[in-house]
Amino acid sequence: MSAIEDPVTAPVAGADGEGEGAGAGTGRDAIVRAARRAFTLRPYAEVTLRGIAADAGVSPSLIVKRFGSKERLFNTVADFRPAADALFAGAPDALGRHLVLTMVRLRDELRGDPLLRVVFSLGNDDERTLLRERFREQVTGRLADSLAGRDRELRAELIAGQLLGLGATLSLHRPDGAGARTPPERLAELYAPGLQRLIDGGA
């Protein structure tokens, strides 16, 4: 289990000011991070609100108040739209650079990768299928619809794959790998041209 913890999300500590006494947004973020970690590393049936609450540093009753049920919390975790909104907000002619810089920023803000849970989820077939269907709809499909030229679906899949590869590489070599020591602008300088070529259609 520990072999895949790092590629997904960093541990969520309950002693970092994100308990019930913190602001509403911060407490919610702590719950979502803990839930993302729990649903990624364990099958749905083995995840409990009590365990998520302990990881987030809040009470189970606060999770029920904010989300209502484990199912609704899972649906929140399985939603890739917020990440896609940020990733695809750049101008088409500079989207490759924007994708790299936004991935790095989101990883810092979320204390984990916004996309890799689709790869590392240990849920049952139904849960994994749901995550992948949502990823295809909310990430790959949305990107394909925004591209011009030939092979849009293929290019979108390849771009998504490169983003997943970037996240996995940064996670695999943290905390002291070369990627962790490299400024985001330099990462974009090296990684974005390949993405941009796919965005432009290989021209």
Side-chain angles (χ1 to χ4, degrees):
M1 191 75 70
S2 60
I4 67 169
E5 284 185 29
D6 285 347
V8 182
T9 180
V12 179
D16 60 357
E18 294 183 350
E20 292 175 76
T26 306
R28 183 185 187 281
D29 291 347
I31 294 168
V32 171
R33 285 198 300 270
R36 183 182 296 121
R37 175 177 168 83
F39 288 124
T40 301
L41 298 179
R42 292 188 296 278
Y44 180 90
E46 296 180 8
V47 175
T48 66
L49 293 185
R50 186 176 298 277
I52 292 172
D55 200 12
V58 302
S59 68
S61 62
L62 183 63
I63 298 180
V64 174
K65 178 180 179 181
R66 295 269 172 88
F67 296 94
S69 66
K70 186 173 79 167
E71 180 180 4
R72 289 182 61 187
L73 183 54
F74 175 80
N75 284 330
T76 299
V77 169
D79 188 356
F80 294 97
R81 285 174 298 185
D85 287 344
L87 286 167
F88 302 146
D93 61 352
L95 184 57
R97 178 177 178 275
H98 174 81
L99 288 171
V100 175
L101 295 178
T102 303
M103 277 289 290
V104 174
R105 176 177 62 80
L106 289 176
R107 287 171 57 85
D108 289 341
E109 292 178 358
L110 299 173
R111 300 184 190 178
D113 192 278
L115 303 178
L116 277 180
R117 62 189 181 276
V118 75
V119 177
F120 290 99
S121 173
L122 295 183
N124 64 29
D125 287 343
D126 288 343
E127 295 149 28
R128 289 196 300 269
T129 297
L130 173 63
L131 278 173
R132 290 172 185 175
E133 286 178 349
R134 289 194 177 180
F135 187 90
R136 283 194 295 267
E137 174 190 349
Q138 297 171 356
V139 179
T140 313
R142 176 174 169 180
L143 178 58
D145 289 342
S146 72
L147 297 176
R150 297 174 53 192
D151 303 316
R152 292 184 304 164
E153 292 184 2
L154 173 60
R155 286 155 52 208
E157 290 178 4
L158 293 173
I159 292 166
Q162 288 204 27
L163 290 175
L164 290 169
L166 175 61
T169 299
L170 294 176
S171 295
L172 181 64
H173 297 287
R174 74 180 186 191
D176 55 357
R181 301 192 306 268
T182 302
E185 290 287 348
R186 177 58 176 161
L187 286 174
E189 180 182 337
L190 293 170
Y191 206 82
L195 288 168
Q196 192 63 47
R197 181 174 174 81
L198 289 168
I199 292 163
D200 295 339

